[in-house]
Amino acid sequence: VIRYTLTRLALLLLGLVVASVLIFVTLRVLPGDVAQVIAGTNSTPEQIDAIRQELGLDQPLVAQYLDWIGGVLRGDLGSSMLTGTPVADELVEKAQVTVPLGILSLIVALVVSLPLGVLSAMRRGRADGTFMSVGAQALAAVPVVWAGMMLVVVFAIWLGWLPAQGFPRAGWEDPAAALRALALPALTIGIVEGAMLLRFVRSATLQAVGQDFVRTAAAKGLTRDAALLRHGLPTVGLSVITVLGLQVAGIIVGAVVIEQLFTLPGIGRMLVADVSARDLPKVQGELLVLTSFVLIVGFFVDLVHRLIDPRQREAA
Amino acid sequence: MLRRTALAATALLAAGALLLTACTGGGEPAQTTAGSPDPDASVAIRLVLEPGNLDIRQTAGAALDQILVDNIYQGLVARTPEQDIEASLASDWTVSDDGLTYTFTLREGVKFHNGEDLLPSDVVWSLQTRKATPEWRDSARLANVTSIAAEGQVITLTLSAPDSTLLWNLTGRAGIILKQGDKTDYQTKANGTGPFVLTSWKQGDSITFERNAEYWGDAPQVAEVVFAYIPENQAALNAALAGDVDVVTGFDANLKGQIEATGDFALELGASTDKGTLAFNQTKPPLDDKRVRQAIRQAIDHEAIVEALASGQTQYGPIPELDPGYEDLSDVAPFDPEAASALLEEANAQDLNLTLTIPNFYGPTVPTVLVSNLNDVGITLTVDSVDFPTWLNDVYVNKDYDLSFVLHTEARDFENWANPDYYFTYDNPQVQDLYAQSIAATDEATAEDLLAQAARIVAEDHAGDWLYNGSSVIAVGSNISGMPSINVNERLNLAELAKSDG
């Protein structure tokens, strides 16, 4: 197990280095830079050059990369070129919106997918089971933006129960208002992600039904459903944990899109704003944190999976 | 894939808008309720474009001028909403007959927001530093100023040559007075002399001003102003309907019915210097041919654009009605697709393929009309919607484009047509000469007349096209008064703002 952990850790570090290079290079391919944005539409080339020099944009790219990554290794994510604010501070502030949004979305996704997925597998072949699986198929194919707009139309505009966009200026000092503001966005991401998860739970359950130990349990006198629930579900749970790693990535992407739609002042909206101002040090820091988060979640999912699955333990 | 998603999103948004229309009724706007101004009031104003940072010295963009100049930072002189020049930190001023000496009397007892006194030496330092620091905005606008001196409260500017635009420029970035040696972090904070104090900036969300109780003039009637940055008009409408904002600026006049249906808002249209500018890259074929440029202008149905926007007016030359030097130039390029086709044939430029580069924050209205209008005369227009830094890089800096659309909001910016290096790529020595003469003129009427002559030549050269002269579209809550409506994209002077408790 230790050797496995070390190999995975090495892979994780390699992944992070590759990600940092990719992030850095991809952003440099974008046309335009922050000096042009600062100088605007009434500037001379000399002005732009002077600002570039001031910001260190005239340094060679390799030097800029090493400068950045050196800072990251010392725990410094860098600062915004526009405001001078440290990237870490900004991330912490915006995370107050994005992290609760992600957690709420995940809860919605699990609440939707687990019972319905198992149920639709058990009801396979019957009308309601088929309906659930077709419904999930359709929902999983829906873009989050569309789902969000439909929810806004129904819950914010027709029924008037929830706010259509925005986040209370007081933030979490007014928890009720903050939760209400996050309700529709979390529901949007949760339903779409949940529909994808539902399909996965269903097929994992179906697989479990076919397993020897479930059939044996059924043969020993349990009903098929009871056998499935008692002996099959643990294996389903295991598969779900594996796929949750992927879901986290899906939820992060969903949050970036949904924060635009609901004008939530979170990490997603900050990221888009920073790209369109070409505040690259900030974008780099933000992307690196998000990527690391997904990679680290994947790392732990692998570890947990290995620790709790008796079959894998023995194989090692 | 991305494009398909964007298309789908647009279609859905349209569907969403239709649904919205279906479920909000008609109704008349309510009469303004009479009530007394509430001295503790907080007014929330929706703005569209958030500044990248607050550095008034260096960072370009109307988003800064809009809220920071007049409200936070001030100059010796200021401009009124009607675009006249009025006293500000200087209680009065005189200009010598030869236009070479400007004398200002500085007010006494003015304090900066950090409590320090405004000294005559701060004025001298601010103007001198601005002039000597090319990275600072509008530094070049002080080029003719040779000396800035203070004697007691009297500030004297001496010029090497007359400059009819100097006073106007002093109402803008070029004239802003800062505290000498100030250690303020200008990127995220501010320290000026204006009626409001900047108290917080929540990036991606809002900027908050508070009343400056120590203000040298009449202190504001409201205790607090919150600028809420909401880019999408639909979201802004929702915020207004939910009562989250008291004023919506930069609104879409097509949504008038919906916002007025609440009875709490009234839509106001104010004049502006927003110029929907279609630039032609005239350094290369086919747009180096004046007939092709004229054909494009005559193929465009400007009235249809104004109608589609439900606000604004047509503008056929480089100078809008609010600026000096304006004249009606509609005779230069009247809408006439047949004449346009004939011109293209004469220029041997049929079946043209052109690309329009447009920053992606502008809606689909303008490109849609252009594609259809130009298609009618045999020009295939491809729309390339790009983010603003890409536009800056490709069009503004590298001049790598055919046609470009940008809404230029700056007042009195004719100089760009007299600058052959500007991205307009227009180079006419006669225009440059007339513009130089207009600057050197010592009386306003002469200056205006010279500008008008130059503007007519620009229009007759078809150096560009002006798709429309925008309006300031604002929806104002019925308990709000003193909200300016003229040219608010450029300046939003809130000194008179009040909110009644009735």
PDB file of all heavy atoms in Angstrom, chain B residues 17-46:
ATOM      1  N   ALA B  17     -36.623  35.691 -22.804  1.00  0.00           N
ATOM      2  CA  ALA B  17     -37.109  37.064 -22.847  1.00  0.00           C
ATOM      3  C   ALA B  17     -38.582  37.082 -23.236  1.00  0.00           C
ATOM      4  O   ALA B  17     -39.389  37.825 -22.681  1.00  0.00           O
ATOM      5  CB  ALA B  17     -36.284  37.879 -23.833  1.00  0.00           C
ATOM      6  N   LEU B  18     -38.937  36.215 -24.211  1.00  0.00           N
ATOM      7  CA  LEU B  18     -40.328  36.147 -24.649  1.00  0.00           C
ATOM      8  C   LEU B  18     -41.220  35.708 -23.491  1.00  0.00           C
ATOM      9  O   LEU B  18     -42.282  36.273 -23.256  1.00  0.00           O
ATOM     10  CB  LEU B  18     -40.470  35.145 -25.802  1.00  0.00           C
ATOM     11  CG  LEU B  18     -40.094  35.700 -27.166  1.00  0.00           C
ATOM     12  CD1 LEU B  18     -40.184  34.616 -28.214  1.00  0.00           C
ATOM     13  CD2 LEU B  18     -40.994  36.879 -27.511  1.00  0.00           C
ATOM     14  N   LEU B  19     -40.746  34.698 -22.772  1.00  0.00           N
ATOM     15  CA  LEU B  19     -41.514  34.204 -21.633  1.00  0.00           C
ATOM     16  C   LEU B  19     -41.747  35.327 -20.635  1.00  0.00           C
ATOM     17  O   LEU B  19     -42.833  35.503 -20.113  1.00  0.00           O
ATOM     18  CB  LEU B  19     -40.750  33.070 -20.949  1.00  0.00           C
ATOM     19  CG  LEU B  19     -40.969  31.699 -21.566  1.00  0.00           C
ATOM     20  CD1 LEU B  19     -40.000  30.702 -20.969  1.00  0.00           C
ATOM     21  CD2 LEU B  19     -42.408  31.262 -21.335  1.00  0.00           C
ATOM     22  N   LEU B  20     -40.652  36.096 -20.411  1.00  0.00           N
ATOM     23  CA  LEU B  20     -40.735  37.205 -19.479  1.00  0.00           C
ATOM     24  C   LEU B  20     -41.804  38.189 -19.908  1.00  0.00           C
ATOM     25  O   LEU B  20     -42.616  38.640 -19.120  1.00  0.00           O
ATOM     26  CB  LEU B  20     -39.392  37.943 -19.431  1.00  0.00           C
ATOM     27  CG  LEU B  20     -38.408  37.473 -18.381  1.00  0.00           C
ATOM     28  CD1 LEU B  20     -37.122  38.225 -18.542  1.00  0.00           C
ATOM     29  CD2 LEU B  20     -39.005  37.719 -17.013  1.00  0.00           C
ATOM     30  N   THR B  21     -41.771  38.514 -21.217  1.00  0.00           N
ATOM     31  CA  THR B  21     -42.727  39.468 -21.743  1.00  0.00           C
ATOM     32  C   THR B  21     -44.128  38.944 -21.508  1.00  0.00           C
ATOM     33  O   THR B  21     -45.040  39.677 -21.162  1.00  0.00           O
ATOM     34  CB  THR B  21     -42.530  39.644 -23.260  1.00  0.00           C
ATOM     35  OG1 THR B  21     -41.159  39.509 -23.524  1.00  0.00           O
ATOM     36  CG2 THR B  21     -43.048  40.968 -23.729  1.00  0.00           C
ATOM     37  N   ALA B  22     -44.291  37.625 -21.689  1.00  0.00           N
ATOM     38  CA  ALA B  22     -45.618  37.037 -21.594  1.00  0.00           C
ATOM     39  C   ALA B  22     -46.170  37.161 -20.183  1.00  0.00           C
ATOM     40  O   ALA B  22     -47.364  37.261 -19.995  1.00  0.00           O
ATOM     41  CB  ALA B  22     -45.568  35.576 -22.005  1.00  0.00           C
ATOM     42  N   CYS B  23     -45.290  37.164 -19.189  1.00  0.00           N
ATOM     43  CA  CYS B  23     -45.863  37.141 -17.854  1.00  0.00           C
ATOM     44  C   CYS B  23     -45.780  38.462 -17.104  1.00  0.00           C
ATOM     45  O   CYS B  23     -46.118  38.547 -15.941  1.00  0.00           O
ATOM     46  CB  CYS B  23     -45.292  36.001 -17.003  1.00  0.00           C
ATOM     47  SG  CYS B  23     -43.535  35.833 -17.125  1.00  0.00           S
ATOM     48  N   THR B  24     -45.321  39.529 -17.775  1.00  0.00           N
ATOM     49  CA  THR B  24     -45.439  40.822 -17.117  1.00  0.00           C
ATOM     50  C   THR B  24     -46.446  41.652 -17.897  1.00  0.00           C
ATOM     51  O   THR B  24     -46.398  41.688 -19.126  1.00  0.00           O
ATOM     52  CB  THR B  24     -44.095  41.567 -17.095  1.00  0.00           C
ATOM     53  OG1 THR B  24     -43.482  41.410 -18.360  1.00  0.00           O
ATOM     54  CG2 THR B  24     -43.186  41.029 -16.017  1.00  0.00           C
ATOM     55  N   GLY B  25     -47.320  42.289 -17.208  1.00  0.00           N
ATOM     56  CA  GLY B  25     -48.385  43.023 -17.876  1.00  0.00           C
ATOM     57  C   GLY B  25     -47.948  44.406 -18.299  1.00  0.00           C
ATOM     58  O   GLY B  25     -46.793  44.776 -18.156  1.00  0.00           O
ATOM     59  N   GLY B  26     -48.875  45.188 -18.839  1.00  0.00           N
ATOM     60  CA  GLY B  26     -48.570  46.563 -19.230  1.00  0.00           C
ATOM     61  C   GLY B  26     -48.713  47.442 -18.007  1.00  0.00           C
ATOM     62  O   GLY B  26     -48.460  47.019 -16.897  1.00  0.00           O
ATOM     63  N   GLY B  27     -49.095  48.676 -18.205  1.00  0.00           N
ATOM     64  CA  GLY B  27     -49.321  49.529 -17.045  1.00  0.00           C
ATOM     65  C   GLY B  27     -48.561  50.820 -17.175  1.00  0.00           C
ATOM     66  O   GLY B  27     -47.544  50.886 -17.849  1.00  0.00           O
ATOM     67  N   GLU B  28     -49.050  51.833 -16.522  1.00  0.00           N
ATOM     68  CA  GLU B  28     -48.433  53.141 -16.623  1.00  0.00           C
ATOM     69  C   GLU B  28     -47.416  53.316 -15.497  1.00  0.00           C
ATOM     70  O   GLU B  28     -47.591  52.787 -14.406  1.00  0.00           O
ATOM     71  CB  GLU B  28     -49.522  54.220 -16.482  1.00  0.00           C
ATOM     72  CG  GLU B  28     -50.478  54.251 -17.661  1.00  0.00           C
ATOM     73  CD  GLU B  28     -49.771  54.605 -18.963  1.00  0.00           C
ATOM     74  OE1 GLU B  28     -49.092  55.639 -19.004  1.00  0.00           O
ATOM     75  OE2 GLU B  28     -49.888  53.834 -19.933  1.00  0.00           O
ATOM     76  N   PRO B  29     -46.321  54.045 -15.769  1.00  0.00           N
ATOM     77  CA  PRO B  29     -45.388  54.307 -14.680  1.00  0.00           C
ATOM     78  C   PRO B  29     -46.068  55.152 -13.611  1.00  0.00           C
ATOM     79  O   PRO B  29     -46.863  56.035 -13.917  1.00  0.00           O
ATOM     80  CB  PRO B  29     -44.252  55.087 -15.359  1.00  0.00           C
ATOM     81  CG  PRO B  29     -44.840  55.610 -16.620  1.00  0.00           C
ATOM     82  CD  PRO B  29     -45.911  54.648 -17.026  1.00  0.00           C
ATOM     83  N   ALA B  30     -45.740  54.848 -12.381  1.00  0.00           N
ATOM     84  CA  ALA B  30     -46.371  55.586 -11.287  1.00  0.00           C
ATOM     85  C   ALA B  30     -45.844  57.016 -11.248  1.00  0.00           C
ATOM     86  O   ALA B  30     -44.725  57.289 -11.681  1.00  0.00           O
ATOM     87  CB  ALA B  30     -46.074  54.906  -9.963  1.00  0.00           C
ATOM     88  N   GLN B  31     -46.645  57.899 -10.749  1.00  0.00           N
ATOM     89  CA  GLN B  31     -46.193  59.266 -10.552  1.00  0.00           C
ATOM     90  C   GLN B  31     -45.149  59.275  -9.442  1.00  0.00           C
ATOM     91  O   GLN B  31     -45.196  58.455  -8.528  1.00  0.00           O
ATOM     92  CB  GLN B  31     -47.375  60.146 -10.148  1.00  0.00           C
ATOM     93  CG  GLN B  31     -48.369  60.361 -11.277  1.00  0.00           C
ATOM     94  CD  GLN B  31     -47.731  60.982 -12.496  1.00  0.00           C
ATOM     95  OE1 GLN B  31     -47.081  62.006 -12.397  1.00  0.00           O
ATOM     96  NE2 GLN B  31     -47.888  60.366 -13.667  1.00  0.00           N
ATOM     97  N   THR B  32     -44.206  60.186  -9.585  1.00  0.00           N
ATOM     98  CA  THR B  32     -43.194  60.300  -8.549  1.00  0.00           C
ATOM     99  C   THR B  32     -43.872  60.650  -7.227  1.00  0.00           C
ATOM    100  O   THR B  32     -44.624  61.604  -7.145  1.00  0.00           O
ATOM    101  CB  THR B  32     -42.183  61.390  -8.922  1.00  0.00           C
ATOM    102  OG1 THR B  32     -41.686  61.092 -10.196  1.00  0.00           O
ATOM    103  CG2 THR B  32     -41.054  61.445  -7.931  1.00  0.00           C
ATOM    104  N   THR B  33     -43.590  59.838  -6.223  1.00  0.00           N
ATOM    105  CA  THR B  33     -44.195  60.132  -4.939  1.00  0.00           C
ATOM    106  C   THR B  33     -43.415  61.245  -4.269  1.00  0.00           C
ATOM    107  O   THR B  33     -42.193  61.218  -4.226  1.00  0.00           O
ATOM    108  CB  THR B  33     -44.166  58.896  -4.028  1.00  0.00           C
ATOM    109  OG1 THR B  33     -42.900  58.272  -4.186  1.00  0.00           O
ATOM    110  CG2 THR B  33     -45.260  57.922  -4.383  1.00  0.00           C
ATOM    111  N   ALA B  34     -44.146  62.207  -3.754  1.00  0.00           N
ATOM    112  CA  ALA B  34     -43.470  63.313  -3.086  1.00  0.00           C
ATOM    113  C   ALA B  34     -43.124  62.888  -1.674  1.00  0.00           C
ATOM    114  O   ALA B  34     -43.960  62.370  -0.957  1.00  0.00           O
ATOM    115  CB  ALA B  34     -44.370  64.539  -3.070  1.00  0.00           C
ATOM    116  N   GLY B  35     -41.895  63.049  -1.310  1.00  0.00           N
ATOM    117  CA  GLY B  35     -41.486  62.743   0.052  1.00  0.00           C
ATOM    118  C   GLY B  35     -40.271  63.582   0.334  1.00  0.00           C
ATOM    119  O   GLY B  35     -39.685  64.162  -0.576  1.00  0.00           O
ATOM    120  N   SER B  36     -39.863  63.649   1.578  1.00  0.00           N
ATOM    121  CA  SER B  36     -38.690  64.466   1.877  1.00  0.00           C
ATOM    122  C   SER B  36     -37.443  63.614   1.708  1.00  0.00           C
ATOM    123  O   SER B  36     -37.475  62.402   1.903  1.00  0.00           O
ATOM    124  CB  SER B  36     -38.798  64.987   3.313  1.00  0.00           C
ATOM    125  OG  SER B  36     -39.024  63.903   4.175  1.00  0.00           O
ATOM    126  N   PRO B  37     -36.333  64.245   1.307  1.00  0.00           N
ATOM    127  CA  PRO B  37     -35.098  63.483   1.110  1.00  0.00           C
ATOM    128  C   PRO B  37     -34.663  62.821   2.420  1.00  0.00           C
ATOM    129  O   PRO B  37     -34.718  63.440   3.478  1.00  0.00           O
ATOM    130  CB  PRO B  37     -34.084  64.543   0.681  1.00  0.00           C
ATOM    131  CG  PRO B  37     -34.882  65.720   0.277  1.00  0.00           C
ATOM    132  CD  PRO B  37     -36.175  65.663   1.016  1.00  0.00           C
ATOM    133  N   ASP B  38     -34.266  61.571   2.313  1.00  0.00           N
ATOM    134  CA  ASP B  38     -33.837  60.812   3.486  1.00  0.00           C
ATOM    135  C   ASP B  38     -32.333  60.949   3.643  1.00  0.00           C
ATOM    136  O   ASP B  38     -31.568  60.464   2.822  1.00  0.00           O
ATOM    137  CB  ASP B  38     -34.237  59.348   3.280  1.00  0.00           C
ATOM    138  CG  ASP B  38     -33.685  58.434   4.360  1.00  0.00           C
ATOM    139  OD1 ASP B  38     -33.103  58.959   5.333  1.00  0.00           O
ATOM    140  OD2 ASP B  38     -33.844  57.212   4.219  1.00  0.00           O
ATOM    141  N   PRO B  39     -31.868  61.640   4.696  1.00  0.00           N
ATOM    142  CA  PRO B  39     -30.422  61.889   4.830  1.00  0.00           C
ATOM    143  C   PRO B  39     -29.608  60.617   5.088  1.00  0.00           C
ATOM    144  O   PRO B  39     -28.395  60.619   4.937  1.00  0.00           O
ATOM    145  CB  PRO B  39     -30.326  62.846   6.023  1.00  0.00           C
ATOM    146  CG  PRO B  39     -31.599  62.666   6.774  1.00  0.00           C
ATOM    147  CD  PRO B  39     -32.639  62.217   5.795  1.00  0.00           C
ATOM    148  N   ASP B  40     -30.281  59.530   5.485  1.00  0.00           N
ATOM    149  CA  ASP B  40     -29.553  58.283   5.745  1.00  0.00           C
ATOM    150  C   ASP B  40     -29.638  57.319   4.569  1.00  0.00           C
ATOM    151  O   ASP B  40     -29.249  56.159   4.686  1.00  0.00           O
ATOM    152  CB  ASP B  40     -30.125  57.586   6.995  1.00  0.00           C
ATOM    153  CG  ASP B  40     -30.009  58.463   8.224  1.00  0.00           C
ATOM    154  OD1 ASP B  40     -28.979  59.161   8.336  1.00  0.00           O
ATOM    155  OD2 ASP B  40     -30.952  58.477   9.043  1.00  0.00           O
ATOM    156  N   ALA B  41     -30.163  57.825   3.436  1.00  0.00           N
ATOM    157  CA  ALA B  41     -30.468  56.921   2.328  1.00  0.00           C
ATOM    158  C   ALA B  41     -29.226  56.287   1.719  1.00  0.00           C
ATOM    159  O   ALA B  41     -28.155  56.897   1.668  1.00  0.00           O
ATOM    160  CB  ALA B  41     -31.241  57.675   1.253  1.00  0.00           C
ATOM    161  N   SER B  42     -29.387  55.059   1.275  1.00  0.00           N
ATOM    162  CA  SER B  42     -28.381  54.383   0.469  1.00  0.00           C
ATOM    163  C   SER B  42     -29.009  54.119  -0.896  1.00  0.00           C
ATOM    164  O   SER B  42     -30.107  53.581  -0.985  1.00  0.00           O
ATOM    165  CB  SER B  42     -27.992  53.061   1.130  1.00  0.00           C
ATOM    166  OG  SER B  42     -27.218  52.295   0.229  1.00  0.00           O
ATOM    167  N   VAL B  43     -28.327  54.553  -1.948  1.00  0.00           N
ATOM    168  CA  VAL B  43     -28.873  54.380  -3.295  1.00  0.00           C
ATOM    169  C   VAL B  43     -28.011  53.365  -4.043  1.00  0.00           C
ATOM    170  O   VAL B  43     -26.786  53.503  -4.086  1.00  0.00           O
ATOM    171  CB  VAL B  43     -28.890  55.721  -4.060  1.00  0.00           C
ATOM    172  CG1 VAL B  43     -29.394  55.524  -5.482  1.00  0.00           C
ATOM    173  CG2 VAL B  43     -29.749  56.735  -3.329  1.00  0.00           C
ATOM    174  N   ALA B  44     -28.652  52.338  -4.610  1.00  0.00           N
ATOM    175  CA  ALA B  44     -27.917  51.340  -5.394  1.00  0.00           C
ATOM    176  C   ALA B  44     -28.110  51.622  -6.876  1.00  0.00           C
ATOM    177  O   ALA B  44     -29.241  51.759  -7.343  1.00  0.00           O
ATOM    178  CB  ALA B  44     -28.405  49.939  -5.053  1.00  0.00           C
ATOM    179  N   ILE B  45     -27.001  51.764  -7.586  1.00  0.00           N
ATOM    180  CA  ILE B  45     -27.037  52.098  -9.011  1.00  0.00           C
ATOM    181  C   ILE B  45     -26.398  50.976  -9.802  1.00  0.00           C
ATOM    182  O   ILE B  45     -25.251  50.594  -9.539  1.00  0.00           O
ATOM    183  CB  ILE B  45     -26.282  53.415  -9.279  1.00  0.00           C
ATOM    184  CG1 ILE B  45     -26.923  54.554  -8.480  1.00  0.00           C
ATOM    185  CG2 ILE B  45     -26.247  53.737 -10.764  1.00  0.00           C
ATOM    186  CD1 ILE B  45     -26.202  55.878  -8.640  1.00  0.00           C
ATOM    187  N   ARG B  46     -27.128  50.460 -10.769  1.00  0.00           N
ATOM    188  CA  ARG B  46     -26.549  49.406 -11.604  1.00  0.00           C
ATOM    189  C   ARG B  46     -25.658  50.037 -12.672  1.00  0.00           C
ATOM    190  O   ARG B  46     -26.079  50.941 -13.395  1.00  0.00           O
ATOM    191  CB  ARG B  46     -27.646  48.604 -12.283  1.00  0.00           C
ATOM    192  CG  ARG B  46     -27.125  47.540 -13.238  1.00  0.00           C
ATOM    193  CD  ARG B  46     -27.045  48.019 -14.671  1.00  0.00           C
ATOM    194  NE  ARG B  46     -26.597  46.916 -15.529  1.00  0.00           N
ATOM    195  CZ  ARG B  46     -26.923  46.781 -16.797  1.00  0.00           C
ATOM    196  NH1 ARG B  46     -27.670  47.667 -17.385  1.00  0.00           N
ATOM    197  NH2 ARG B  46     -26.467  45.772 -17.500  1.00  0.00           N
TER     198      ARG B  46
END
